[in-house]
Amino acid sequence: MSEIKNIAVLTSGGDAPGMNAAIRAVVRAGIYYDLTVTGVLRGYEGLICGDFIPMDRKSVANIIQRGGTILKTARSDNFRTVEGRQKAYDHLISNGIDALVVIGGDGTFTGANLFTKEHNFPVIGLPGTIDNDLAGTDFTIGYDTAINTVVNAIDKIRDTAESHDRLFIVEVMGRDSGLIALRSGIGVGAEAIMIPEANMGVEGLAKRLEYGRKDKASKIIIVAEGDEIGGAFNVGEVLKDRFPNYDIRVSVLGHIQRGGKPSCMDRVLASRFGVSAVEGLLNGHSGEMVGQVNREILFTPFDHAIKHIDAEEVTPAWLKLVEILSL
Ligand code: F6P
């Protein structure tokens, strides 16, 4: 029998669509297993300040379809310090909490990893980030919605690009990862996709454009924000000099990629992860992230999950696919 009777849940770092579905699943699983569930507001900042609220089945009603996070989120500098983590621990203990569920990305798990080791306090993580850059899961909560948001936006850009015979350079998020750019680029039929995993550089892009069909009315180039080329506006400047005949426009999609209703895939993934996290804690898991690999739920130590290098890879096969499709 587990000694865990009271758990807390928080969301941290950049929000991602599906975080609410994850919170709902944690709360409902907690209630199902006769646990008391506490919500922590504003991520680790709320943990440090003791900003706690009781959660019951009603507090998570009607949120599965909502973007953002009802618990709010923050990026906490204080939690990076030993003193900050000590305050967080003191608040958990004084509130009688036995275990913690954190929903977030690599920054969240870096903090959780230090915290669980320093205080020997049970912590389980749920991967919640649009970037899909964590090892130990095929997909993170929010990624599917984000790439669909990007595809919807670029389909609209394609309409106007086609009407004006223009070349659009569209910048998408992903921090150091090009996975949002890769999948959404394939989804919109982009003429070129610039990602940090395969920096093609100005020369590579110029070659791609020269090699591509000249009779195509519109062209879409997707630039991942982490590509070494330094952003879509830079690409625009370079191309203006190199290809004076192109009518070039730049569009940075920005934070719309983080908002909106979660897709069904994200709702189901988040729901599955939330229940598995609670069951994992009750079965003695700690210091791990719950993930889904080949449809199976598994637990990966935080140390490993935050190593981007082992997250989904942009393989040569992906790059070849992009090249073939951009003819
Ligand atoms: O990690 C999610 C993410 O949206 C990244 O893709 C992006 O680089 C970053 O967060 C933006 O963070 P902020 O909202 O703090 O500017």
Side-chain angles (χ1 to χ4, degrees):
M1 267 285 271
S2 169
E3 310 229 304
I4 294 173
K5 298 283 172 245
N6 301 307
I7 61 169
V9 55
L10 60 81
T11 49
S12 162
D15 61 342
M19 279 185 163
N20 281 327
I23 297 166
R24 173 179 178 269
V26 170
V27 171
R28 297 245 159 122
I31 294 167
Y32 181 88
Y33 289 110
D34 284 331
L35 308 177
T36 303
V37 188
T38 298
V40 181
L41 298 176
R42 296 177 294 105
Y44 292 136
E45 276 305 294
L47 209 52
I48 290 167
C49 306
D51 214 349
F52 296 171
I53 52 167
M55 304 291 283
D56 57 22
R57 66 183 79 190
K58 214 170 147 208
S59 56
V60 291
N62 206 16
I63 64 165
I64 193 168
Q65 76 282 20
R66 283 168 57 190
T69 158
I70 59 161
L71 291 178
K72 301 194 176 287
T73 187
R75 299 194 195 276
S76 172
D77 285 334
N78 292 324
F79 201 71
R80 290 182 222 276
T81 66
V82 174
E83 298 74 31
R85 292 192 294 275
Q86 179 65 48
K87 279 187 193 154
Y89 177 73
D90 293 345
H91 280 299
L92 286 168
I93 297 303
S94 63
N95 281 273
I97 291 162
D98 312 310
L100 179 64
V101 177
V102 298
I103 307 167
D106 59 344
T108 303
F109 297 159
T110 303
N113 198 23
L114 291 169
F115 181 76
T116 186
K117 284 180 179 158
E118 256 166 30
H119 296 287
N120 193 24
F121 192 89
V123 184
I124 285 283
L126 269 69
T129 165
I130 63 166
D131 299 338
N132 204 32
D133 59 351
L134 294 163
T137 192
D138 290 338
F139 298 108
T140 55
I141 300 163
Y143 175 64
D144 182 62
T145 308
I147 55 178
N148 278 295
T149 300
V150 172
V151 164
N152 286 331
I154 300 182
D155 283 350
K156 292 182 172 120
I157 290 176
R158 179 72 86 173
D159 288 345
T160 173
E162 186 89 4
S163 305
H164 286 265
D165 289 351
R166 277 180 174 158
L167 181 151
F168 268 83
I169 301 153
V170 184
E171 184 178 305
V172 300
M173 280 186 170
R175 205 181 288 276
D176 307 322
S177 162
L179 291 171
I180 292 179
L182 178 76
R183 276 213 174 71
S184 60
I186 292 170
V188 299
E191 276 65 31
I193 304 172
M194 307 186 74
I195 52 177
E197 293 85 347
N199 287 297
M200 66 162 69
V202 175
E203 285 315 312
L205 177 60
K207 246 195 232 146
R208 182 66 57 86
L209 289 175
E210 275 153 11
Y211 178 62
R213 271 171 44 200
K214 303 281 173 303
D215 59 334
K216 251 187 174 179
S218 68
K219 290 192 192 300
I220 302 282
I221 295 169
I222 304 205
V223 183
E225 65 177 349
D227 190 272
E228 71 176 10
I229 198 122
F233 283 99
N234 256 348
V235 180
E237 285 311 311
V238 173
L239 287 190
K240 265 179 200 155
D241 294 339
R242 191 88 182 235
F243 296 96
N245 294 338
Y246 281 134
D247 189 7
I248 296 172
R249 293 291 185 277
V250 174
S251 187
V252 177
L253 294 188
H255 287 77
I256 63 160
Q257 293 163 92
R258 289 234 299 261
K261 279 174 175 290
S263 66
C264 183
M265 290 297 273
D266 275 331
R267 295 180 200 194
V268 174
L269 193 71
S271 300
R272 202 173 173 210
F273 284 168
V275 172
S276 302
V278 173
E279 290 175 342
L281 280 172
L282 294 177
N283 288 323
H285 282 279
S286 177
E288 292 160 295
M289 179 197 85
V290 58
Q292 178 186 289
V293 177
N294 295 333
R295 295 196 290 273
E296 296 293 324
I297 291 292
L298 55 84
F299 292 85
T300 300
F302 287 138
D303 280 327
H304 187 80
I306 54 184
K307 290 202 176 96
H308 296 203
I309 203 78
D310 285 346
E312 186 193 3
E313 265 188 277
V314 180
T315 56
W318 275 116
L319 299 176
K320 188 165 180 204
L321 183 76
V322 170
E323 197 180 334
I324 292 171
L325 294 173
S326 64
L327 286 182

